[in-house]
Amino acid sequence: MEFSVRVPRRRLGADGPEVPLLALGSWNTWDRMEREAAAELVRLAVDGGADMFDVAHYDFGPHAENAVTDVLFGQAVRDAGLAREDYLLCGKLWLWEYPALSFAEQIKVSLGRIGTDRADTVVVGDFMERPDLRAVVADVSELVRAGRFASWGVNNWSAGDVLFARRFAAAEGLVPPSFAQLKYSLARRSVPEGAPYRRLFEDGLGLQASDVLEGGILAGRLDPQRKIGQDPGGIRDRIRAAFPQVQQVAERFGATPAQVAIAYCLTHPAVANVLVGVSRKAQLEDDLAALDLLARHGDELPEAAAGLWLDEGVVDPAASWGTDAP
């Protein structure tokens, strides 16, 4: 499989790096592939310009899974003969055991498991209890200064907490979060399209869309056999029931449901890229075709998919984790 056109790039926030519109995630992906297939997939993605990989050490809090998907990713990169400068690495820092387990120790272990000494950016993970955000910003900024990564974002924080972190960083001469990684899909729009985050996006914050396929449900795999993300608002059964509508939209544009789901998220003006889980070449090829759908019909997709917004009035746009609306 060869790609005649490289994946376009957008800037991940006003102060962030230029990234490909499509990035590959690591949760339950690399550990579902044979070694040779993983190396081939990494090589194909990089050659096609989808050269950003979101890779985490999943062994914290609710993700205490002792997973080795990050180790396998590092192995795939080496097997593919890639140099570190050939790809962008987005790491994770978890708040579940912070500050008892420092960010400095987390990044040392995480990067060591992959087999590198630096990431390009990191995402500071979500939380159930609000940490000392001043300490978070200061500790992350110190790692930027130490050269461990060049920028950072947050995962499923409330817009208010992101605003606080950005203002505190500006006041103290520290490095602010430049993007937010949020659940965003055809069905889940309340937080990324809501007014609180909209104001942040207008101020230069970037958006990275995660869970865009709802663990495969929006691609037609209605009963995933693997662990998938949280279900804010308890709407997952409604998403399954709405899949025939997704198919109808896809048929209208001569596309697949997965392509519609990915292209829709890329119509958001703040979205720099979407994260997808890919474990087969055919999936990568299908996902990349979403970029052609975006180019041809991007201006039509929001209206065509208007009836698929399922967390409207259910999820509070101002809350973290997409919690239920009051």
Side-chain angles (χ1 to χ4, degrees):
M1 180 175 62
E2 295 182 357
F3 309 120
S4 58
V5 179
R6 288 181 62 81
V7 175
R9 303 177 92 82
R10 295 177 181 172
R11 190 165 295 282
L12 186 55
D15 301 318
E18 286 197 348
V19 298
L21 269 60
L22 201 70
L24 274 60
S26 65
W27 195 32
N28 295 311
T29 55
W30 306 108
D31 47 2
R32 291 190 291 136
M33 304 179 66
E34 297 294 332
R35 180 169 176 172
E36 290 185 2
E40 184 180 8
L41 185 62
V42 166
R43 180 83 256 180
L44 287 168
V46 169
D47 287 346
D51 55 1
M52 185 175 195
F53 301 91
D54 180 272
V55 184
H57 178 199
Y58 293 107
D59 201 23
F60 298 88
H63 295 306
E65 303 162 357
N66 197 28
V68 295
T69 186
D70 52 337
V71 176
L72 296 175
F73 167 76
Q75 182 182 78
V77 165
R78 292 187 292 275
D79 289 348
L82 296 176
R84 180 61 189 81
E85 58 269 21
D86 292 334
Y87 66 94
L88 297 172
L89 177 63
C90 179
K92 278 282 201 313
L93 295 172
W94 300 105
L95 287 164
W96 307 109
E97 299 175 26
Y98 172 87
L101 185 58
S102 71
F103 289 153
E105 181 60 24
Q106 286 189 45
I107 199 69
K108 177 182 176 182
V109 172
S110 179
L111 294 177
R113 287 168 61 89
I114 297 169
T116 185
D117 61 355
R118 65 176 177 85
D120 293 283
T121 190
V122 300
V123 176
V124 178
D126 37 44
F127 53 85
M128 300 303 289
E129 295 184 8
R130 192 174 188 264
D132 181 348
L133 295 182
R134 295 177 179 85
V136 169
V137 174
D139 289 350
V140 174
S141 296
E142 184 60 32
L143 292 174
V144 172
R145 292 193 176 108
R148 297 302 247 170
F149 43 85
S151 62
W152 67 288
V154 302
N155 182 43
N156 293 325
W157 287 20
S158 72
D161 285 338
V162 178
L163 178 60
F164 178 90
R166 283 169 65 84
R167 285 179 172 173
F168 175 72
E172 298 296 322
L174 300 173
V175 182
S178 59
F179 68 97
Q181 186 183 102
L182 301 175
K183 281 180 173 289
Y184 186 30
S185 71
L186 289 166
R188 302 186 187 275
R189 309 180 192 177
S190 292
V191 174
E193 294 187 9
Y197 258 107
R198 185 183 311 122
R199 290 189 284 270
L200 288 169
F201 298 143
E202 290 170 352
D203 193 42
L205 188 76
L207 174 56
Q208 189 175 67
S210 67
D211 295 309
V212 299
L213 298 179
E214 193 72 17
I217 293 173
L218 288 172
R221 298 182 291 279
L222 301 186
D223 294 297
Q225 299 303 302
R226 61 182 178 85
K227 184 177 180 180
I228 62 176
Q230 299 263 346
D231 182 15
I235 63 169
R236 188 155 287 152
D237 286 342
R238 292 178 61 194
I239 295 175
R240 290 189 178 94
F243 181 70
Q245 294 174 252
V246 181
Q247 289 179 302
Q248 290 174 6
V249 175
E251 290 169 1
R252 169 179 167 180
F253 295 112
T256 67
Q259 290 164 10
V260 169
I262 292 168
Y264 173 82
C265 291
L266 286 167
T267 66
H268 191 303
V271 168
N273 62 7
V274 301
L275 298 176
V276 293
V278 175
S279 58
R280 292 181 288 109
K281 290 192 296 182
Q283 288 179 320
L284 178 60
E285 186 173 31
D286 187 61
D287 291 349
L288 286 167
L291 305 181
D292 181 60
L293 173 64
L294 176 71
R296 291 184 294 110
H297 299 292
D299 57 343
E300 304 169 61
L301 285 172
E303 181 180 355
L308 290 165
W309 182 359
L310 301 181
D311 69 348
E312 184 178 17
V314 176
V315 164
D316 181 0
S320 61
W321 275 95
T323 50
D324 294 355

